[in-house]
């Protein structure tokens, strides 16, 4: 069976499975569990890249006004997290086994083999921008930041017959108030809070 025929065969078999699954739930728990496991692992990885947005060299940068010079910061950050793909390949195999068992029990096909082989680790790169403005009169500062996956890097990954696309975007803001502005020898101490919005998609 050549590659093209195998792809059409797999698509047809998967369609039969999905249509039949609409009338039975005997095999869906295994698939649901595997998908939840995949998403749970990814949700644990994604925040690692977002954490770079909270990295600041000072707990308090100083006042924007009155101050000479005015205090503000701006920067571009690049990060990369290497993801262990064992959880992904293992769960995809579980899904394939469940589909194969279902098709075999239904008499559609004896066995189904999914060729899915990934590197042990894949990079998850991202780039973020940030800006922070010092306060006016009072010792506070405000931060704005955003981060997104780098285009044309994670949207066209291919492992054998599997295509993977990951998209991730986060933006947010925070405000910090300096409890102690520090000195040359003593550290700065601030307290703050903020809001962050994240959107992630995997295909």
């Amino acid at each position: 069976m050549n590659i093209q025929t195998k792809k059409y065969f797999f698509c047809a078999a998967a369609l039969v499975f999905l249509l039949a699954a609409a009338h039975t739930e005997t095999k869906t728990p295994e698939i649901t569990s595997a998908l939840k496991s995949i998403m749970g692992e990814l949700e644990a990885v994604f925040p690692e890249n977002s954490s770079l947005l909270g990295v600041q060299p000072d707990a308090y940068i100083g006042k924007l006004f009155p101050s000479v010079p005015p205090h503000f910061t701006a920067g571009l950050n690049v990060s990369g997290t290497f993801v262990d793909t064992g959880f992904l390949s293992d769960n995809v195999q579980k899904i394939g086994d469940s589909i194969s068992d279902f098709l075999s029990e239904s008499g559609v096909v004896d066995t189904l083999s999914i060729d899915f082989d990934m590197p042990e680790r894949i990079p998850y790169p991202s780039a973020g921008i940030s800006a922070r403005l010092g306060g006016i009169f009072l010792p506070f500062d405000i931060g704005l930041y955003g981060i997104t996956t780098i285009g044309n890097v994670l949207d066209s990954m291919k492992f054998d017959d599997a295509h993977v696309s990951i998209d991730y975007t986060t933006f947010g803001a925070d405000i910090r108030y300096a409890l102690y502005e520090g000195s040359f020898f003593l550290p700065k101490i601030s307290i703050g809070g903020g809001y962050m919005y994240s959107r992630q998609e995997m295909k």
Side-chain angles (χ1 to χ4, degrees), residues 39-198:
M39 293 310 299
E41 292 287 344
L42 291 176
E43 287 173 358
V45 171
F46 289 154
E48 291 185 17
N49 273 0
S50 297
S51 63
L52 72 91
L53 298 174
V55 176
Q56 296 290 332
D58 290 314
Y60 171 60
I61 66 169
K63 295 185 179 70
L64 181 68
F65 179 84
S67 178
V68 180
H71 289 80
F72 63 92
T73 66
L76 171 66
N77 301 304
V78 178
S79 75
T81 300
F82 281 89
V83 181
D84 187 343
T85 61
F87 76 92
L88 187 57
S89 56
D90 290 347
N91 282 293
V92 167
Q93 188 60 51
K94 290 179 182 178
I95 293 173
D97 291 344
S98 294
I99 294 175
S100 181
D101 291 344
F102 180 84
L103 293 176
S104 179
E105 293 173 6
S106 301
V108 178
V109 64
D110 291 334
T111 59
L112 175 66
S113 176
I114 298 178
D115 187 11
F116 188 79
D117 186 22
M118 298 181 68
E120 290 185 5
R121 292 178 178 82
I122 56 174
Y124 178 62
S126 60
I129 57 174
S130 61
R132 185 165 293 275
L133 302 176
I136 299 176
F137 294 108
L138 296 176
F140 69 91
D141 53 35
I142 298 174
L144 304 172
Y145 37 79
I147 190 172
T148 185
T149 47
I150 300 173
N152 299 320
V153 174
L154 297 179
D155 55 359
S156 58
M157 295 186 294
K158 182 178 180 181
F159 309 100
D160 295 327
D161 291 340
H163 294 264
V164 180
S165 174
I166 299 175
D167 184 28
Y168 180 61
T169 300
T170 293
F171 60 85
D174 68 10
I175 183 170
R176 307 183 304 179
Y177 189 86
L179 300 177
Y180 181 69
E181 298 182 31
S183 66
F184 185 79
F185 296 102
L186 298 176
K188 302 171 184 178
I189 301 174
S190 64
I191 185 172
Y195 174 82
M196 180 180 289
Y197 169 82
S198 293

